[in-house]
Amino acid sequence: MFTGIVAAVGTITSVAPLAGGLDAGVRLAIDAGPLSLADVGLGDSIAINGACMTVTEKSATGFTVDVSRESLNKTVGLDAPGEVNLEKALTLAERLGGHLVSGHVDGLGVVHSFEPVGESRELIIDAPHELGKFLAYKGSIVVNGVSLTVNRVHDLDEGGQKVCRFSINLIPHTIEVTTLRHLAAGSRVNLEIDLIARYVERMLAATTAR
């Protein structure tokens, strides 16, 4: 489990096909940047842009993970060198600064706009229509591994394409310490819905089906 509070921005330094070729997935080498790996062991989990991955090799300054083809098909930002948001798995002794995050990407969103609003910036994202039922005013959403609060949400029909458009306010600190500062209109992002909303929806569906 994670909290969605990014601990450091690292860098994917290399992407190599796994045995069996690209259809089998890739191996990522990651420079952890300022993230301490002293308490990380082989087999531990680290969220990379919001996707939970398993450490397969480790050095003092970096680590490797194997990303399956399925994971590559369901995420963005894990198939090429570049900056990534990093968070080590939560321990029971830590503060839950964001919200409970599983590290399982539920879908891909597209940035509609990312504009300054005073000292902050407003990030507006179009999410797949099927995720709309999990998004609510003042509810939680994870964008590229960052726990954020939904300020507005609307279900829209854009030229026959149903989307759920939601708005988030990013304070200067969040922009400074995460890769969200690189986003622009048209950027694709990893989304994970709130864990509690997932179970509430399931329970309501089961009740209705009776």
Side-chain angles (χ1 to χ4, degrees), residues 1-3 39 44-47 52 87-91 94:
M1 298 296 295
F2 305 90
T3 68
D39 58 346
D44 284 355
S45 296
I46 295 181
C52 178
E87 181 189 356
K88 293 185 285 189
L90 179 69
T91 72
E94 295 176 35

Side-chain angles (χ1 to χ4, degrees), residues 81-106:
E83 289 188 331
V84 287
N85 294 320
L86 300 177
E87 181 189 356
K88 293 185 285 189
L90 179 69
T91 72
L92 294 179
E94 295 176 35
R95 291 185 178 90
L96 188 62
H99 69 284
L100 289 174
V101 174
S102 67
H104 300 155
V105 174
D106 292 298

Side-chain angles (χ1 to χ4, degrees), residues 105-187:
V105 174
D106 292 298
L108 300 181
V110 178
V111 175
H112 179 264
S113 62
F114 191 33
E115 301 293 339
V117 179
E119 293 185 353
S120 301
R121 300 194 77 177
E122 183 182 32
L123 175 62
I124 299 178
I125 296 173
D126 288 344
H129 174 70
E130 58 269 22
L131 296 186
K133 60 187 174 184
F134 299 105
L135 299 175
Y137 173 65
K138 297 304 179 185
S140 297
I141 183 72
V142 180
V143 179
N144 281 358
V146 184
S147 173
L148 298 166
T149 301
V150 175
N151 287 334
R152 291 194 301 274
V153 58
H154 302 285
D155 294 312
L156 304 173
D157 191 320
E158 293 280 297
Q161 180 81 26
K162 291 184 177 181
V163 299
C164 179
R165 181 169 295 168
F166 64 96
S167 170
I168 295 165
N169 184 73
L170 295 182
I171 62 173
H173 176 77
T174 303
I175 297 169
E176 180 182 351
V177 301
T178 71
T179 64
L180 298 184
R181 63 183 179 274
H182 299 310
L183 295 179
S187 298

Side-chain angles (χ1 to χ4, degrees), residues 37-70:
L37 299 177
D39 58 346
V40 174
L42 298 184
D44 284 355
S45 296
I46 295 181
I48 305 171
N49 273 1
C52 178
M53 295 294 158
T54 301
V55 175
T56 56
E57 295 179 16
K58 190 193 101 167
S59 68
T61 59
F63 61 96
T64 66
V65 298
D66 292 345
V67 186
S68 69
R69 171 46 55 186
E70 174 68 10

